[in-house]
């Protein structure tokens, strides 16, 4: 890919995702371009959850923690990642974050083939 083509591709990606401070290889730029091209049909509105359970230790002793991770593709290109946990001793919590940067999307695509 020549320099001008890569700049045009990066500018196109930058219309939907934050690319500031992100260095992209030719393959990464193509992968993000494909992601954006397929977003409406393959990703938008879809959600995926994963639940795990494990034991841990605290000052009160052993507990079992159930964790739920949910990735939801938002209306605009991006991913809302929700995390929730419940311990058998009554503790619980939740957090949420939005991934709208190019590197974050690439990392998600790498980790979720």
């Amino acid at each position: 890919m020549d320099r001008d083509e890569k700049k045009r591709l990066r500018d196109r990606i930058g219309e939907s995702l934050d690319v500031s401070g992100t260095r992209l290889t030719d393959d990464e730029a193509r992968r993000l371009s494909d992601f954006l091209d397929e977003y409406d049909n393959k990703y938008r509105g879809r959600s995926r959850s994963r639940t795990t359970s494990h034991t841990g230790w605290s000052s009160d002793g052993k507990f079992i923690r159930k964790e739920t991770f949910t990735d939801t593709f938002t209306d605009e290109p991006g991913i809302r990642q929700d995390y929730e946990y419940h311990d058998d001793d009554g503790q619980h919590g939740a957090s949420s974050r939005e991934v709208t940067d190019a590197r974050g999307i690439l990392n998600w695509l790498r980790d979720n083939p």
Side-chain angles (χ1 to χ4, degrees):
M1 177 182 312
D2 68 22
R3 175 174 261 151
D4 291 333
E5 182 182 359
K6 189 168 184 178
K7 181 174 180 355
R8 281 191 303 275
L9 193 55
R10 184 182 176 90
D11 290 344
R12 182 175 161 271
I13 293 166
E15 292 172 5
S16 301
L17 301 173
D18 178 13
V19 294
S20 60
T22 303
R23 294 184 62 127
L24 299 172
T25 66
D26 291 352
D27 289 339
E28 289 172 336
R30 283 189 197 100
R31 188 152 193 206
L32 284 172
S33 177
D34 291 345
F35 171 80
L36 293 172
D37 289 343
E38 299 170 342
Y39 194 79
D40 287 339
N41 296 325
K42 189 175 178 182
Y43 297 102
R44 182 187 311 267
R46 303 232 172 136
S47 186
R48 181 168 131 177
S49 292
R50 176 174 56 91
T51 301
T52 63
S53 181
H54 62 88
T55 57
W57 291 91
S58 71
S59 59
D60 295 331
K62 187 176 174 180
F63 65 91
I64 297 174
R65 174 167 287 183
K66 179 181 173 186
E67 297 176 304
T68 303
F69 302 88
T70 304
D71 296 331
T72 304
F73 291 93
T74 57
D75 286 340
E76 296 299 317
I79 305 166
R80 187 181 72 242
Q81 296 181 315
D82 298 312
Y83 168 75
E84 187 175 346
Y85 75 89
H86 295 278
D87 295 346
D88 64 349
D89 65 0
Q91 293 289 325
H92 65 277
S95 65
S96 184
R97 74 181 192 117
E98 295 269 337
V99 178
T100 57
D101 62 290
R103 183 58 55 198
I105 297 294
L106 284 168
N107 289 342
W108 189 93
L109 291 169
R110 180 197 66 222
D111 295 341
N112 299 275

